[in-house]
Amino acid sequence: MLPPRSKRVDNQPHIRPAAREDLDALFALDQTCFRPGIAYSKTELRYFLFHPRSISVVAEDGGSIAGFAIVEFLLEEGRRIGHVITIDVPAALRRTGVGRLLMDALLDSCRESEAAAVRLEVAVDNEAAIAFYQRLGFTQMGRMRGYYMGKLDALTMRLALQG
Ligand SMILES: CC(C)(COP(=O)(O)OP(=O)(O)OC[C@H]1O[C@@H](n2cnc3c(N)ncnc32)[C@H](O)[C@@H]1OP(=O)(O)O)[C@@H](O)C(=O)NCCC(=O)NCCS
């Protein structure tokens, strides 16, 4: 007999745009996902969630927030690029496919906006996130010394979307 797929949710969370009323809950989640110095202040998070060149999505499951993610659009050498600001899934819900669901929604938005690529930074010691992005097809482009708090390096990763 196959073991039960206990952590894999069959009823997937619903993906929707982030709303102003979500700010407190998203801030609280971000505080649990990142250490002090990397987690955003509420002011920073509000800015990234709602600035005019960003797309922010929330995964909602039975009225509870099951995660969120933000991408902003930048111009690089005249081409539109998506830049992932953050993706946060509560520890209890990780490895159940929520991150994938959120990132698929962001990547769909990037393709609809005709972004040529998506890039991001991730702390070198964040093995879960690095494995997650690699699984999605992101490849390492470089390393930024002291990117976090002046002492923790970041890997830069990129996914090409179109030519
Ligand atoms: C990174 C993060 C968003 C991944 O979310 P998630 O919901 O757990 O990811 P998923 O369940 O969709 O995983 C998809 C695939 O990514 C890979 N993956 C995810 N977490 C992994 C881990 N801890 N170790 C190895 N591979 C992992 C696996 O291939 C996984 O597929 P599988 O479970 O079928 O093997 C989540 O760990 C998180 O919120 N971390 C804290 C915040 C953070 O670090 N965000 C990234 C900032 S740059």
Side-chain angles (χ1 to χ4, degrees), residues 8 33-34 84-91 93-101 120-123 126-133 135-136 148:
R8 183 62 60 182
C33 284
F34 298 98
V84 177
I85 299 297
T86 196
I87 174 165
D88 295 23
V89 174
L93 296 178
R94 290 180 196 158
R95 298 304 290 271
T96 67
V98 179
R100 177 78 197 227
L101 210 56
L120 57 86
E121 300 82 33
V122 57
N126 193 344
E127 292 172 10
I130 293 167
F132 171 73
Y133 293 130
R135 177 72 185 270
L136 288 165
Y148 297 105

Side-chain angles (χ1 to χ4, degrees), residues 26-53:
L26 302 187
F27 174 67
L29 173 56
D30 195 64
Q31 293 286 305
T32 69
C33 284
F34 298 98
R35 72 195 84 173
I38 295 185
Y40 289 121
S41 69
K42 196 178 276 190
T43 302
E44 289 169 329
L45 190 61
R46 182 191 292 110
Y47 169 76
F48 284 123
L49 280 165
F50 304 118
H51 84 65
R53 294 172 312 286

